[in-house]
Amino acid sequence: MFSLESVETAVEGVHRAAELGFTDVVLHRPRADGIYAGSLDTYRAFAERLPELQRVETTPRR
């Protein structure tokens, strides 16, 4: 599944990563075609959610 399929898919990916203990998530800028093809509108909408996502608590690793 492509993480920028929708804003909600990307947000879910951030939450899943936090649950696994990850503190950083990298999201590439979508391209016009190919395997990284995506919508810039979705990318921008995700960027608007960054302040909220930066407050997501990570699950400590054991």
Side-chain angles (χ1 to χ4, degrees), residues 11-30:
V11 168
E12 180 182 340
V14 171
H15 285 278
R16 285 182 177 191
E19 289 172 5
L20 292 170
F22 288 89
T23 58
D24 298 294
V25 175
V26 176
L27 189 70
H28 65 83
R29 188 175 193 271

Side-chain angles (χ1 to χ4, degrees), residues 28-48:
H28 65 83
R29 188 175 193 271
R31 303 220 168 82
D33 53 30
I35 62 169
Y36 296 113
S39 163
L40 276 176
D41 290 337
T42 302
Y43 183 75
R44 289 179 183 126
F46 176 79
E48 290 176 4

